[in-house]
């Protein structure tokens, strides 16, 4: 099991591994020791990992005070059995609070940050990053949702100037291969969580339907259709 902890914006947090082995089957309540742990300033908040048998990819907070987005977050590649750092990408702007998403078509991992960064990179078989493939795009607002990737397109929510007010909150459509911005749609609140995409009707009408919640009173789910022919987005409040 892989888990992360967070205390405050600037204090250390821990990303750690606990074995699921039951060392004493006769006991129903046991204290499990860490198998390994990794400490980082700011910790790991909403930071879900992408785990394989050979490596585990996870992103950190930036360790800066609230509201400040320093270039000090780190994308880690770890040995899943020992926690040894196989590789890292440093200098990332803003807390990485998304789960790391993997897309088999592009063979890349993707992440977002509160500093408005959407990033991607290829991972070598030994867990090291193919740094020449690392790329980012600035989306000009806080991102905390996990990038939703389908049909070579990424759907990601971005906060407006004010997290809980205003009408400038945005859903972006981004090309997965090169992070080129393809389209965007303004919605009633900050789409802070991850999207769900459905291709159930793609053969009928040539559209992917995407659903996402937004964090603004009284709350709600926003849906939109993305035409696969590139003709644009249609929103449904």
């Amino acid at each position: 099991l892989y888990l992360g902890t967070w205390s405050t914006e600037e204090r250390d947090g821990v990303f750690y591994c606990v074995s699921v082995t039951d060392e004493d089957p006769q006991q129903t309540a046991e204290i499990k020791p860490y198998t390994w742990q990794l400490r980082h300033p700011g910790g790991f908040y909403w930071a879900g990992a992408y785990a394989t048998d050979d490596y585990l990819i996870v992103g950190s907070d930036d360790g800066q005070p609230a509201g400040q987005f320093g270039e000090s977050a780190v994308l880690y590649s770890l040995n899943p059995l020992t926690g040894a750092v196989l590789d890292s990408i440093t200098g990332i702007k803003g807390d990485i609070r998304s789960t790391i998403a993997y897309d088999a078509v592009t063979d890349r991992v993707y992440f977002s940050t509160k500093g408005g960064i959407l990033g991607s990179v290829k991972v070598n078989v030994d867990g090291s990053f193919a740094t020449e493939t690392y790329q980012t795009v600035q989306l000009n607002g806080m991102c905390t949702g996990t990038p939703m990737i389908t049909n070579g397109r990424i759907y990601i929510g971005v906060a407006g100037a004010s997290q809980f007010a205003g009408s400038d909150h945005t859903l972006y459509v981004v090309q997965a291969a090169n992070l080129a911005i393809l389209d965007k749609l303004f919605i009633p609140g900050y789409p802070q969580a991850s999207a769900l995409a459905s291709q159930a009707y793609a053969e009928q009408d040539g559209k992917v339907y995407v659903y996402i919640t937004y964090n603004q009173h009284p709350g709600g789910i926003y849906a939109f259709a993305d035409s696969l022919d590139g003709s644009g987005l249609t929103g449904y409040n």
Side-chain angles (χ1 to χ4, degrees):
L1 303 177
Y2 302 104
L3 308 98
T5 72
W6 184 94
S7 178
T8 67
E9 295 280 357
E10 299 174 73
R11 293 180 61 182
D12 282 2
V14 178
F15 192 82
Y16 63 99
C17 171
V18 175
S19 168
V20 296
T21 301
D22 188 353
E23 291 87 358
D24 188 353
Q26 303 305 313
Q27 295 292 329
T28 58
E30 303 165 60
I31 296 175
K32 290 285 293 187
Y34 292 119
T35 301
W36 54 258
Q37 60 176 303
L38 171 72
R39 304 186 72 84
H40 183 90
F44 302 85
Y45 192 134
W46 293 338
Y50 172 68
T52 74
D53 289 339
D54 301 310
Y55 56 82
L56 179 148
I57 312 295
V58 69
S60 77
D61 263 25
D62 60 12
Q64 302 298 312
Q68 297 183 23
F69 304 124
E71 295 182 351
S72 47
V74 177
L75 186 70
Y76 286 104
S77 176
L78 308 174
N79 183 305
L81 299 180
T82 68
V85 178
L86 302 174
D87 205 353
S88 63
I89 296 176
T90 60
I92 299 172
K93 180 183 178 182
D95 306 320
I96 301 174
R97 293 196 170 174
S98 72
T99 294
I100 306 302
Y102 171 73
D103 177 51
V105 175
T106 60
D107 193 28
R108 289 174 172 268
V109 294
Y110 296 81
F111 64 91
S112 68
T113 84
K114 285 186 70 177
I117 298 296
L118 174 64
S120 79
V121 66
K122 289 189 176 184
V123 186
N124 298 316
V125 293
D126 63 356
S128 62
F129 293 117
T131 52
E132 72 279 4
T133 70
Y134 178 57
Q135 53 186 310
T136 64
V137 63
Q138 173 58 250
L139 298 180
N140 302 312
M142 290 193 300
C143 305
T144 55
T146 300
M148 173 69 234
I149 310 159
T150 185
N151 290 320
R153 297 153 86 85
I154 301 169
Y155 302 101
I156 186 77
V158 180
S162 176
Q163 181 175 355
F164 298 114
S167 57
D168 53 348
H169 308 285
T170 313
L171 272 163
Y172 277 90
V173 184
V174 181
Q175 188 77 42
N178 58 15
L179 299 190
I181 296 174
L182 301 176
D183 210 339
K184 64 181 180 180
L185 184 72
F186 293 106
I187 71 171
Y190 174 22
Q192 192 168 9
S194 307
L196 174 69
S198 170
Q199 299 186 59
Y201 308 101
E203 291 187 2
Q204 299 175 33
D205 61 11
K207 296 179 181 180
V208 171
Y209 289 84
V210 182
Y211 307 86
I212 196 165
T213 58
Y214 56 87
N215 191 2
Q216 183 167 297
H217 184 78
I221 298 176
Y222 198 84
F224 69 97
D226 184 14
S227 298
L228 297 179
D229 63 5
S231 58
L233 305 175
T234 304
Y236 308 95
N237 196 357

